[in-house]
Amino acid sequence: MASGEEITVCDDEIRSRYSHLEKMTDLVAVWEVALSDGVHKIEFEHGTTSGKRVVYVDGKEEIRREWMFKLVGKETFTVGATKTKAAINIDAVSGFAYEYTLEINGKSLKQYIENRLKTTNTWILNLGGTDYRIVLEKDTMDVWCNGQKMETAGEFVEDGTETHFTVADHSCYIKAVSSGKRKEGIIHTLIVDNREIPEAVE
């Protein structure tokens, strides 16, 4: 390029090239929430000068509010295939500092995770080069695989129950047997092609 030669760039070209940066300038919080249908990413933008509030779930805009004069409050929305209730609380800490807390089903994220550890089992495995996340909801005995609720068949066996289902043409079942200890309760084990799969910790 010769010296003194001008470069002309269209405003639209600049805007489109940098729109993803502009989009997240007020990003103040990001959470990852494990539900039965998968792990969901929740992002929250809060413009403390403009009053803007934007909630994204898995990259999709769920809520957008512009020019909110009240900078504190609550935004409610749903997450995942089961439309799990969620809320982001916005509280003033001091001066112009804010605290953002996520609630799932009316519980703080910490309480929700602690409760989930008691009410679900999760296994992660690879079959034929594909990763699968299998979740058992102990209260309903529903089985989820990669976001889909599975068709299952329950069967009583000598030492407990078996919940049978199929993943990618592989025979699977979750065996439920009593631990014999009141505090431990029932132990759930995933068996795929006659081998036990270790439980994952999320």
Side-chain angles (χ1 to χ4, degrees), residues 42-182:
I42 298 169
E43 297 167 293
F44 183 57
E45 287 185 50
H46 188 217
T48 54
T49 52
S50 67
K52 176 179 74 171
R53 297 181 192 176
V54 186
V55 176
Y56 298 93
V57 177
D58 298 326
K60 181 178 173 275
E61 188 176 295
E62 292 295 320
I63 295 172
R64 175 176 287 273
R65 299 193 201 294
E66 302 283 352
W67 303 108
M68 300 278 295
F69 293 106
K70 190 174 179 192
L71 294 176
V72 295
K74 183 182 230 175
E75 293 296 338
T76 57
F77 53 99
T78 60
V79 179
T82 56
K83 301 283 183 209
T84 301
K85 289 179 184 159
I88 296 172
N89 294 304
I90 308 152
D91 297 299
V93 181
S94 63
F96 291 102
Y98 296 89
E99 181 177 82
Y100 308 95
T101 52
L102 179 67
E103 288 179 4
I104 303 291
N105 279 339
K107 295 181 169 79
S108 72
L109 185 58
K110 184 177 187 279
Q111 290 171 323
Y112 173 78
I113 291 168
E114 287 169 359
N115 185 59
R116 189 168 166 73
L117 288 171
K118 296 175 193 164
T119 61
T120 63
N121 289 84
T122 303
W123 297 271
I124 295 174
L125 63 146
N126 187 294
L127 296 172
T130 303
D131 289 330
Y132 293 95
R133 179 178 177 270
I134 297 172
V135 177
L136 168 69
E137 293 180 351
K138 295 180 200 177
D139 53 350
T140 59
M141 292 304 287
D142 286 339
V143 176
W144 292 77
C145 179
N146 288 3
Q148 300 295 315
K149 192 170 164 185
M150 304 298 288
E151 289 288 325
T152 62
E155 180 183 337
F156 288 100
V157 293
E158 189 178 315
D159 54 350
T161 64
E162 293 178 356
T163 304
H164 292 263
F165 57 99
T166 304
V167 173
D169 296 325
H170 292 268
S171 171
C172 308
Y173 66 92
I174 296 172
K175 189 173 181 77
V177 295
S178 173
S179 64
K181 297 176 184 136
R182 198 163 158 235

Side-chain angles (χ1 to χ4, degrees), residues 23-44:
K23 187 175 118 180
M24 291 294 200
T25 53
D26 293 322
L27 185 68
V28 293
V30 178
W31 298 274
E32 288 201 343
V33 180
L35 301 177
S36 295
D37 70 332
V39 178
H40 299 279
K41 185 175 185 178
I42 298 169
E43 297 167 293
F44 183 57

